[in-house]
Amino acid sequence: AQTVTQSQPEMSVQEAETVTLSCTYDTSESDYYLFWYKQPPSRQMILVIRQEAYKQQNATENRFSVNFQKAAKSFSLKISDSQLGDAAMYFCAYRSAYSGGSNYKLTFGKGTLLTVNP
Amino acid sequence: SQTIHQWPATLVQPVGSPLSLECTVEGTSNPNLYWYRQAAGRGLQLLFYSVGIGQISSEVPQNLSASRPQDRQFILSSKKLLLSDSGFYLCAWNSVYYDGGVSSTDTQYFGPGTRLTVL
């Protein structure tokens, strides 16, 4: 079974600065997807960024980028120019790329609570 | 565009009472549907998923059940709630596509959630 570990329960950053959230995972599969979701105080889960394991290039979405290290099974999220609206719980998640059965499910880490200080 | 709805947004129920949470998706056909639960201070745990009408798979044994009476409707139920059923319940969907006869799925998108408190 796959596991996802977020070793930082809480992080803080000054507005306009950069912060990196860590995520490691364990899997025996070679093809999979990794995600970062954001959960603001409203508690709705919002997709931040997605990475396909077969792609070597790191995904980027505006101020959000990832450092995907497949051999190390590491998937960190970098937030540049942090804004007050970035304050939220951030979850790292894994999904198998193989079809069928419970391979469709997302396996989540326990989350990192990000505080942005003005 | 696709949207996902959940209701109610908040629910307070006594122990032993029944439960019915509803999730509907608009703007897509034949989605995969999921029920997750988030306990306080923890990540999300998959409870049920469905790949089609009447097709339900359970991930965790419990006193909850799920049904999919229509293509875009997913219902989470219980006959008798327990204190441990308290939590935040999220419904999610993703589209399914076929590439060379092999099915694959896209990113999961989540509804706004239901906060359930069992007293």
Side-chain angles (χ1 to χ4, degrees):
Chain A
Q2 296 80 22
T3 59
V4 177
T5 302
Q6 294 179 249
S7 59
Q8 306 152 316
E10 298 184 22
M11 292 280 287
S12 63
V13 63
Q14 291 297 124
E15 196 175 3
E17 295 191 347
T18 297
V19 65
T20 299
L21 308 184
S22 301
C23 172
T24 58
Y25 58 95
D26 189 27
T27 184
S28 58
E29 298 178 331
S30 59
D31 201 9
Y32 47 87
Y33 300 95
L34 295 166
F35 305 86
W36 278 98
Y37 283 89
K38 167 185 176 181
Q39 188 179 41
S42 66
R43 301 197 72 176
Q44 178 153 13
M45 296 288 282
I46 301 167
L47 177 70
V48 174
I49 201 164
R50 156 187 163 138
Q51 174 80 44
E52 289 91 343
Y54 65 87
K55 290 186 177 179
Q56 293 186 343
Q57 186 174 4
N58 290 324
T60 299
E61 288 288 341
N62 300 314
R63 298 182 294 107
F64 299 87
S65 61
V66 298
N67 183 6
F68 173 48
Q69 301 290 328
K70 191 173 184 180
K73 296 180 182 175
S74 171
F75 183 61
S76 60
L77 175 70
K78 185 172 81 171
I79 306 174
S80 304
D81 185 25
S82 297
Q83 300 175 0
L84 294 177
D86 295 333
M89 182 74 84
Y90 286 81
F91 289 96
C92 179
Y94 170 103
R95 180 173 73 75
S96 172
Y98 299 98
S99 62
S102 63
N103 285 337
Y104 295 136
K105 76 175 184 181
L106 288 171
T107 300
F108 285 88
K110 292 189 175 181
T112 296
L113 181 62
L114 178 66
T115 302
V116 180
N117 300 311
Chain B
S1 64
Q2 300 87 6
T3 55
I4 178 169
H5 304 279
Q6 284 186 248
W7 64 88
T10 305
L11 191 60
V12 180
Q13 292 283 93
V15 171
S17 64
L19 172 73
S20 181
L21 304 181
E22 190 166 342
C23 169
T24 58
V25 181
E26 297 177 354
T28 188
S29 297
N30 196 31
N32 283 359
L33 296 171
Y34 308 83
W35 279 112
Y36 289 88
R37 177 169 61 197
Q38 184 178 29
R42 301 182 67 178
L44 275 72
Q45 179 186 41
L46 179 66
L47 301 175
F48 299 94
Y49 67 94
S50 172
V51 299
I53 295 174
Q55 301 180 61
I56 309 295
S57 296
S58 174
E59 283 289 302
V60 181
Q62 59 223 321
N63 71 319
L64 299 172
S65 61
S67 62
R68 185 170 176 174
Q70 300 180 42
D71 181 44
R72 289 168 287 178
Q73 184 184 31
F74 204 24
I75 298 172
L76 183 68
S77 304
S78 175
K79 293 182 179 179
K80 289 186 177 181
L81 283 168
L82 306 173
L83 287 174
S84 58
D85 292 324
S86 293
F88 191 65
Y89 289 82
L90 285 154
C91 181
W93 74 276
N94 62 242
S95 56
V96 182
Y97 57 93
Y98 293 87
D99 184 8
V102 179
S103 66
S104 187
T105 62
D106 209 330
T107 301
Q108 286 186 27
Y109 297 96
F110 288 80
T114 295
R115 184 186 305 273
L116 172 65
T117 303
V118 182
L119 301 175

